[in-house]
């Protein structure tokens, strides 16, 4: 029976992990969460994986909405959360949502990848990125063997105090404000009106007005628009003007086009 992996990715870390897992598992269909979150889900698979990044030490809003639509399935479910700093108790959030829908998350894994939140820091040096990629590839093989056997584990997480402070207190306070945080994006004079930001946005949150991007306040904070702009014209406040961008080096913008 065929397997599936649903994924959400803004700059490529989670998509690359999903691709590598699909290759290791074999006979696995990759499905974009952004393209299916508002559709009827096909859960007729033997094994179902969910791969996504950690945002604000918790679930991306679009992933949270997706999980709420996963109901009454007896498939073997596993999840992989990619993170740059700490995973917090992100996977426990997924466990609870699925449990409320009658679905068991049998295994949850956290994989560290290069951070990509340019409003706080620039891209890591390539040597450091490659160290992350090597360790991630090793963990993917471990996860795949675990999943093939349909083994169960407790979702991987940070220490209890970190989970309480960041994944509960901070996330619950800050995550409702994510959609409106796009008010801090702007395009500088380098913008060519190419439309890549419009085509790549997983939330259909960007429109072009006179050839320039306008944000519509339903943001996911995936940073895809900023990271994939070919001329680095998209900025976030004044913080990003001189900071190096990041996206996974083995992927391209077309892999993320929504329209």
């Amino acid at each position: 029976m065929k397997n599936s992996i649903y994924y959400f990715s803004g700059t490529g870390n989670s998509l690359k992990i999903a691709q590598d897992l699909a290759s290791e598992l074999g006979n696995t269909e990759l499905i974009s969460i952004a393209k299916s979150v508002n559709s009827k889900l096909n859960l007729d698979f033997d094994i179902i994986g969910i791969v996504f990044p950690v945002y604000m030490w918790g679930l991306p809003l679009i992933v949270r909405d997706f999980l709420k639509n996963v109901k009454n399935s007896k498939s073997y479910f596993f999840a992989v959360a990619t993170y740059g700093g700490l995973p917090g108790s992100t996977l426990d959030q997924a466990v609870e949502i699925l449990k409320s829908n009658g679905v068991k998350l049998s295994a949850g894994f956290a994989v560290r990848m290069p951070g990509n939140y340019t409003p706080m820091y620039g891209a890591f040096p390539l040597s450091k990125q490659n160290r992350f990629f090597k360790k991630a590839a090793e963990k993917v093989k471990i996860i795949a063997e675990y999943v093939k056997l349909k083994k169960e584990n407790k979702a991987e997480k940070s220490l209890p105090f970190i989970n309480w402070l960041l994944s509960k207190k901070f996330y619950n306070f800050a995550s409702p404000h994510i959609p409106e945080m796009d008010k801090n994006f702007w395009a500088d004079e380098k913008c060519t009106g190419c439309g890549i930001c419009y085509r790549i946005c997983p939330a259909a949150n960007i429109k072009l007005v006179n050839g320039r991007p306008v944000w519509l306040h339903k943001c996911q904070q995936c940073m895809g628009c900023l990271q994939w702009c070919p001329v680095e014209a998209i900025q976030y406040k004044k913080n990003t003007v001189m900071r190096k961008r990041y996206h996974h080096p083995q992927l391209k913008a077309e892999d993320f086009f929504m329209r």
Side-chain angles (χ1 to χ4, degrees), residues 8 18 44 47 95 138 162 169 173 207 210 230 246 257:
F8 173 66
D44 188 22
I47 294 172
V95 168
E138 292 169 355
I162 295 294
K169 293 297 183 181
F173 169 78
K207 67 177 180 179
N210 297 323
Y246 170 83
F257 282 175

Side-chain angles (χ1 to χ4, degrees), residues 215-232:
W215 287 263
L216 305 175
H217 311 310
K218 49 183 179 178
C219 187
Q220 290 288 330
Q221 283 285 289
C222 74
M223 293 290 141
C225 58
L226 183 149
Q227 304 288 12
W228 288 105
C229 176
V231 295
E232 300 186 1

